[in-house]
């Protein structure tokens, strides 16, 4: 495995000490609410297999409101960003009311959306009800995006929504792109498209083998493409026209410090918590199954946050097999929790793939 440069090793040692302090304190800073499992698209990489009509109903906003009361009893609400996700949040006809409830309880809130149903009228209502941040997905140029999202016309509607939001200048905003074999060769052209729409912040990630993505080889980049992606991000950051980052998918060796604004750390269960659609208390919404820590219908959220989450905060249990043989373990600490299967086995290591 590639040796780290001296400069990176020194910086990573400092970062490791800072990580230890954050883990010990584990201040809740982001709370995701999976408000619905319904979705108006059929994305090839969906990890939760969302559908137009979900078997489970939407969580009543009052139930999530009690979670926020638990949080504000121990933490100032202004310190915790609430991120509404799904499924597709815009499938909820009462999303405006959900936002108003969150806002009135003192929490800043944002949402992750495919923007298919984000009309100008809906956007203004969300702003009126306290919306402060938004991420919209755009996965390539028109053919590639529509293929990925499983619906013709979704690229045009997402692009129109992006132009509308950037034009308003009213909220913190970024575009997220899932890089795969279909759109890898379009990254430069996609960058120009985003710049033309007024995008200033762009976050890129790759697919991990779970959910619908597990059996689709077209979604996974080759070794050369992965390295090409890192070079593209590094060069785009140097240009300084659109601020570009790679998502928090794992430790990247000598790309650390070059493709993100920070060194790698999986903050799941450390500063990030979530409430899933069935009430499960988890961390990053991409993490499911055996890493759930409780349920809001039986447990107090902040009691669980303070007293549980041991698998997230002490990751020595990951120090086995290929991780135990890795010279970068102390900086990586086993990678993202979403990259572990139900038995704790590592399902993907980007550094090894590169």
């Amino acid at each position: 495995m590639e040796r780290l440069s001296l400069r990176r090793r020194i910086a990573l040692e400092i970062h490791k000490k800072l990580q230890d302090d954050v883990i010990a304190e584990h201040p809740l800073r982001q709370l995701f609410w999976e408000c619905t499992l319904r979705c108006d698209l059929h994305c090839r990489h969906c990890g939760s297999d969302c559908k137009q009509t979900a078997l489970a109903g939407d969580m009543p906003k009052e139930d999530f409101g009690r979670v926020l009361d638990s949080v504000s009893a121990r933490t100032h609400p202004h310190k915790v960003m609430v991120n509404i996700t799904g499924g597709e949040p815009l499938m909820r006809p009462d999303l405006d009311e959900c936002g108003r409830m969150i806002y009135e309880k003192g929490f800043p809130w944002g949402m992750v959306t495919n923007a298919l149903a984000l009309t100008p009228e809906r956007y203004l209502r969300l702003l009126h009800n306290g919306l402060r941040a938004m991420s919209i997905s755009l996965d390539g140029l028109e053919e590639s995006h529509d293929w990925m999202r499983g619906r013709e016309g979704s690229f045009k509607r997402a692009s129109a929504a992006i132009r509308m939001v950037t034009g308003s200048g009213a909220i913190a905003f970024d575009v997220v792109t899932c890089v795969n074999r279909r759109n890898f060769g379009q990254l430069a052209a996609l960058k120009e498209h985003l710049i033309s729409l007024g995008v200033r912040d762009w976050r890129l990630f790759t697919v991990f083998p779970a959910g619908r993505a597990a059996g689709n080889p077209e979604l996974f980049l080759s070794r050369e493409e992965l390295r090409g992606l890192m070079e593209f991000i590094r060069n785009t950051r140097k240009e300084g026209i659109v601020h570009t980052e790679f998502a928090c998918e794992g430790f990247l060796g000598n790309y650390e410090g070059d493709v993100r604004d920070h060194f790698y750390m999986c903050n799941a269960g450390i500063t990030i918590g979530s409430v899933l659609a069935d009430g499960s208390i988890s961390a990053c919404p991409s993490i499911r199954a055996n890493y759930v820590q409780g349920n809001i219908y039986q447990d107090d959220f902040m009691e669980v946050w303070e007293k549980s989450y041991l698998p997230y905060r002490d990751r020595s249990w990951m120090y086995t097999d290929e991780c135990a043989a890795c010279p970068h373990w102390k900086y990586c600490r086993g990678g993202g929790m979403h990259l572990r299967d139900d038995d704790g086995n590592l399902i993907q290591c980007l550094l090894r793939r590169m």
Side-chain angles (χ1 to χ4, degrees), residues 180-189:
N180 56 79
R181 303 203 79 170
R182 281 242 182 167
N183 66 17
F184 175 76
Q186 303 172 355
L187 290 177

Side-chain angles (χ1 to χ4, degrees), residues 245-258:
E245 280 198 280
F246 186 64
C248 54
E249 290 183 59
F251 182 74
L252 300 172
N254 279 313
Y255 286 110
E256 287 294 326
D258 289 350

Side-chain angles (χ1 to χ4, degrees), residues 170-228:
I171 58 175
F173 174 74
D174 71 351
V175 167
V176 291
T177 296
C178 177
V179 183
N180 56 79
R181 303 203 79 170
R182 281 242 182 167
N183 66 17
F184 175 76
Q186 303 172 355
L187 290 177
L190 180 59
K191 178 182 69 174
E192 296 305 316
H193 177 65
L194 294 178
I195 292 171
S196 75
L197 297 177
V199 173
R200 297 182 179 179
D201 293 281
W202 186 21
R203 191 157 31 103
L204 300 100
F205 66 101
T206 62
V207 182
F208 63 98
R212 294 182 196 152
N216 193 337
E218 284 189 270
L219 297 179
F220 302 101
L221 300 181
S222 67
R223 174 184 180 276
E224 293 74 18
E225 288 167 336
L226 271 174
R227 285 187 169 271

